[in-house]
Amino acid sequence: IDQPNVITCKAMVAWEAGKDLVMEEVEVSPPQPLEIRVKVICTSLCRTDITAWESQAIFPRIFGHEASGIVESVGEGVTEFVKGDHVLTVFTGECKTCKHCESKKSNMCQVLGLERRGVMHSDQGTRFSVKGKPVYHYCAVSSFSEYTVVHSGCAVKVSPQAPLEKICLLSCGVAAGLGAAWNVADISEGSIVVIFGLGTVGLGVAQGAKLRGASQIIGVDINPEKYEKAKCFGVTDFLNPNEYNEPIQQVIKRISGGGTDYSFECIGNTGMVTTALQSCCDGWGLTVTLGVPKTNPEIASHYSAFLSGKTLKGSLFGGWKPKSDLPSLVNKYMNREIQVDEFITHNLPFEDINKAFTLLREGKCLRCVIHM
Ligand code: APR
Ligand code: ZN
């Protein structure tokens, strides 16, 4: 039989928090039972990679979770994939058998959910090493490597016709935004929506709101350069909090006639969750959080917000069950029902990945696609 061997390839390794990634020769183990080894084709840089790289303590580590690739080999017991299949990686898997996977109400798989310790779900081990030293994973994906190993439940087979250099964005940011608008908030026609943070996640929400027929989509961002791009995703009003002497929630209440139907936090700033809650209307106002905060994970709110009927709802990956739902989202893109290409502001070769970090940190890009 064809036994997969260790592969030696290039990976961008993070050795220390906040320090430039370094290109290294890494050894990638063969896939273990129920795992697959994937040749990464494209990976985009998401804000969450930066947040973890700046604030977490697990090093050395290979980041990257928004990616597309081609199956190189499969481990024992894998029946769903064969060599050559086109896949999207996902940072939160779907085992299809746990209580949450069986429930329509949740995408929080209890077996293959968000992995926080930098290891594989199956044996708490790593599949990467540099000169014999183990290198940790990120979200059980680690796409900043020419080859990576993922659990077969953390990859989704997609149509081979779909362009991998574009649809990698559907493995996290764009899908999370669309899903928050459609699955989590379930925005109805004619609604007024406010979105805090006009990065890829926030503009994914804007696109979702527009496609649901929202009548007003207010975008809030401290970076005025975001407005032009935001317009093409449906944002109708742009507010820069720095240009007002009054709290931005007051401005939002005024221009929305008493508060919005929905508000979305797409920054990763818990203070803005409070502001978002204060911006939506009494009675039915719904605030959805998508951001991942770096510090101060506690949220503050006066209980009167809830007494007056508001709801605060969390979400991970826009409520999508990755295996069940992503292929149809890819098909929507292929049928031109959703925009994805417009989120790509830069394309860079793998060796320039540190430039992508700088661009995203400086607010100069939406998505940078890294070509391996
Ligand atoms: N007020 C308003 N806008 C802000 C503020 C603030 N205090 N701070 C940052 N922003 C804006 C930035 O200018 C930027 O346009 O929020 C936007 C965030 O966008 P990106 O950095 O491109 O991040 P994105 O990838 O869209 O992720 C957004 O979702 O998945 C999470 O971890 C991710 O928390 C992050 C959030
Ligand atoms: Zn499950």
Side-chain angles (χ1 to χ4, degrees):
I1 2 166
D2 208 8
Q3 282 293 348
N5 298 319
V6 169
I7 287 181
T8 303
C9 67
K10 295 202 163 55
M12 281 291 191
V13 177
W15 290 96
E16 267 183 81
K19 294 271 164 64
D20 272 4
L21 310 189
V22 182
M23 188 171 269
E24 306 278 2
E25 295 265 299
V26 297
E27 309 216 299
V28 186
S29 317
Q32 297 303 299
L34 297 180
E35 295 175 353
I36 60 176
R37 191 160 57 188
V38 175
K39 178 175 169 49
V40 178
I41 300 297
C42 280
T43 179
S44 34
L45 178 63
C46 170
R47 170 62 60 172
T48 318
D49 291 304
I50 294 193
T51 305
W53 165 74
E54 285 175 336
S55 61
Q56 291 184 4
I58 302 167
F59 293 97
R61 198 168 195 187
I62 297 174
F63 286 105
H65 64 283
E66 207 176 91
S68 60
I70 298 175
V71 176
E72 177 272 337
S73 60
V74 304
E76 212 181 292
V78 174
T79 52
E80 195 191 337
F81 297 99
V82 294
K83 182 180 170 149
D85 280 345
H86 287 201
V87 293
L88 293 181
T89 59
V90 280
F91 65 90
T92 179
E94 185 180 347
C95 78
K96 296 211 170 194
T97 56
C98 74
K99 190 174 164 185
H100 285 251
C101 283
E102 282 185 345
S103 164
K104 278 191 188 141
K105 296 179 184 170
S106 172
N107 66 344
M108 300 298 295
C109 176
Q110 299 295 287
V111 181
L112 301 171
L114 200 58
E115 204 294 314
R116 292 184 172 86
R117 285 172 302 171
V119 293
M120 295 300 283
H121 288 101
S122 54
D123 63 356
Q124 320 304 310
T126 76
R127 305 289 175 264
F128 297 111
S129 63
V130 175
K131 298 174 195 104
K133 195 176 156 80
V135 176
Y136 291 100
H137 296 246
Y138 178 61
C139 289
V141 172
S142 294
S143 52
F144 298 163
S145 175
E146 290 176 325
Y147 288 86
T148 189
V149 176
V150 300
H151 194 284
S152 55
C154 297
V156 180
K157 199 193 291 195
V158 295
S159 157
Q161 269 81 50
L164 293 174
E165 71 280 13
K166 305 284 199 285
I167 61 164
C168 55
L169 272 64
L170 289 173
S171 101
C172 179
V174 175
L178 287 170
W182 294 344
N183 309 324
V184 185
D186 195 12
I187 294 177
S188 48
E189 201 180 338
S191 302
I192 303 180
V193 174
V194 62
I195 300 164
F196 293 86
L198 301 177
T200 299
V201 173
L203 294 179
V205 173
Q207 175 172 195
K210 181 184 171 187
L211 291 171
R212 279 289 175 91
S215 60
Q216 191 181 11
I217 304 174
I218 305 163
V220 180
D221 203 296
I222 47 173
N223 181 350
E225 285 172 35
K226 299 283 171 169
Y227 188 36
E228 267 319 299
K229 202 78 194 187
K231 277 190 204 160
C232 92
F233 293 106
V235 173
T236 54
D237 303 68
F238 181 75
L239 298 179
N240 182 347
N242 295 335
E243 288 173 3
Y244 293 87
N245 291 322
E246 59 185 321
I248 202 68
Q249 57 271 37
Q250 265 176 37
V251 181
I252 294 165
K253 284 198 150 178
R254 198 162 58 236
I255 65 172
S256 62
T260 62
D261 300 300
Y262 305 94
S263 56
F264 295 86
E265 199 283 344
C266 308
I267 300 170
N269 174 329
T270 49
M272 296 310 278
V273 175
T274 307
T275 307
L277 198 54
Q278 290 166 348
S279 304
C280 66
C281 68
D282 285 350
W284 61 81
L286 170 65
T287 296
V288 177
T289 63
L290 291 85
V292 179
K294 180 160 53 171
T295 49
N296 303 326
E298 255 122 53
I299 293 168
S301 172
H302 196 280
Y303 73 96
S304 65
F306 305 107
L307 274 185
S308 59
K310 295 181 182 184
T311 304
L312 176 62
K313 211 168 167 182
S315 71
L316 185 71
F317 196 43
W320 298 113
K321 286 179 185 289
K323 265 192 202 292
S324 308
D325 299 331
L326 272 189
S328 65
L329 208 51
V330 170
N331 290 339
K332 272 191 193 303
Y333 166 70
M334 298 294 281
N335 296 333
R336 299 174 191 276
E337 292 166 47
I338 56 170
Q339 294 170 286
V340 174
D341 303 9
E342 292 75 1
F343 289 96
I344 302 171
T345 52
H346 298 74
N347 287 282
L348 290 170
F350 189 34
E351 57 269 25
D352 286 346
I353 202 163
N354 289 306
K355 283 188 194 158
F357 274 67
T358 306
L359 285 165
L360 192 56
R361 290 171 94 192
E362 291 179 350
K364 299 266 192 284
C365 67
L366 285 176
R367 279 295 187 259
C368 281
V369 174
I370 315 292
H371 299 251
M372 311 302 282

